[in-house]
Amino acid sequence: MTTDFDPNDIHLEQLLLRNRDWAAEMVAEDPDYFKRLVTQQLPKYFWIGCSDSRVPSTQITNLLPGDIFVHRNVANVVSHSDLSFLSVLQFAVDVLRVRHIIVSGHYNCSGVHVALMKQRIGLADNWLRHIQDTHQKYERYLGETLPAQARYDRLCEINVIESAINVCRSTIVQDAWLRGQELTIHGWAYGVHDGLIRDLGMTISSNDEISTKLEQSLARYKETPTEE
Ligand code: ZN
């Protein structure tokens, strides 16, 4: 980038200038890059992540625009009645026919922290109530004996696990599997402190695998109840 840019003093004009620099760099590297994207998008991956500015899916997986179809919300919650999310999921599975759905949460997630501490922040309390419900459901893995940071980390992970299960149980994924469409769900957790993604072992390609993968993922917590 050639434009001076101070993230503490952001002007929209600078964003537009940076956009021009970026587009020029992309064309310099690959003259047909944008021409190819105009005709169609063929992403293999559908990413369900947190809105957090530190977790941009394409950048942290070192991919390019056109590679990942994305839905993000506060704390990567998958709710069975969220029509915005369900519409994106249906488009990804039925129209784009993605092969992989990645639910990726992240450690130090503010939304998870608010739910964990039962803080009141406003309207979003109603959204984050889903995570409080998850907390209650898996309380035995989040005991008071754990150090505070370990409980926080664990709830970030369990929130991903619950969201991944909810994706599997959606009518859209159920119908896709029923008609024999290849579709695999994954559960990941990203470390904002080190830039690394952890695979939480929730790789699920059929109904038969759901309960086994859930048990295996949760068993890890029983074996190491006082980690960190
Ligand atoms: Zn977050």
Side-chain angles (χ1 to χ4, degrees):
M1 295 292 173
T2 55
T3 313
D4 289 335
F5 187 76
D6 178 358
N8 295 314
D9 186 23
I10 299 172
H11 298 291
L12 285 178
E13 294 81 359
Q14 286 178 295
L15 296 185
L16 295 173
L17 287 170
R18 289 173 66 83
N19 164 256
R20 287 176 180 277
D21 288 345
W22 171 78
E25 285 173 15
M26 295 298 285
V27 171
E29 275 184 36
D30 180 355
D32 293 327
Y33 176 70
F34 290 110
K35 289 176 191 164
R36 282 198 306 276
L37 284 185
V38 166
T39 52
Q40 58 185 341
Q41 61 162 340
L42 288 169
K44 289 181 188 163
Y45 313 105
F46 174 37
W47 178 279
I48 301 161
C50 181
S51 299
D52 194 301
S53 63
R54 299 166 297 178
V55 195
S57 58
T58 305
Q59 265 176 292
I60 65 173
T61 52
N62 204 15
L63 293 174
L64 290 168
D67 291 333
I68 306 183
F69 195 63
V70 175
H71 178 83
R72 293 168 75 175
N73 62 41
V74 176
N76 46 274
V77 168
V78 170
S79 162
H80 290 304
S81 57
D82 177 358
L83 285 180
S84 172
F85 163 72
L86 291 171
S87 300
V88 185
L89 176 64
Q90 196 246 322
F91 196 89
V93 173
D94 294 354
V95 180
L96 298 176
R97 297 182 79 81
V98 297
R99 297 287 294 274
H100 300 276
I101 298 175
I102 300 161
V103 179
S104 183
H106 66 100
Y107 300 103
N108 297 100
C109 179
S110 303
V112 171
H113 192 257
V114 165
L116 179 65
M117 303 310 289
K118 296 185 171 58
Q119 292 171 351
R120 291 294 306 272
I121 58 169
L123 177 69
D125 297 341
N126 299 285
W127 181 250
L128 297 171
R129 180 69 229 183
H130 288 296
I131 300 176
Q132 289 186 0
D133 290 347
T134 299
H135 188 185
Q136 283 183 317
K137 184 176 174 183
Y138 297 100
E139 180 72 49
R140 61 192 181 280
Y141 303 109
L142 296 155
E144 298 289 344
T145 56
L146 281 177
Q149 184 65 43
R151 291 180 76 217
Y152 184 13
D153 291 347
R154 196 166 285 190
L155 185 55
C156 289
E157 293 179 357
I158 287 177
N159 181 46
V160 169
I161 290 169
E162 184 72 353
S163 290
I165 292 290
N166 286 346
V167 172
C168 293
R169 289 179 175 152
S170 67
T171 56
I172 295 144
V173 170
Q174 288 291 311
D175 289 348
W177 282 342
L178 200 61
R179 62 178 177 258
Q181 186 171 334
E182 282 187 42
L183 186 61
T184 304
I185 286 72
H186 308 262
W188 291 357
Y190 172 77
V192 291
H193 57 288
D194 61 8
L196 298 176
I197 294 169
R198 282 84 172 161
D199 188 338
L200 300 180
M202 292 297 291
T203 302
I204 299 170
S205 304
S206 69
N207 274 322
D208 297 340
E209 295 176 288
I210 295 177
S211 55
T212 309
K213 290 295 173 69
L214 178 60
E215 279 174 27
Q216 287 173 353
S217 289
L218 294 175
R220 199 178 45 209
Y221 302 131
K222 285 179 189 166
E223 288 163 11
T224 58
T226 55
E227 67 183 8
E228 190 162 318

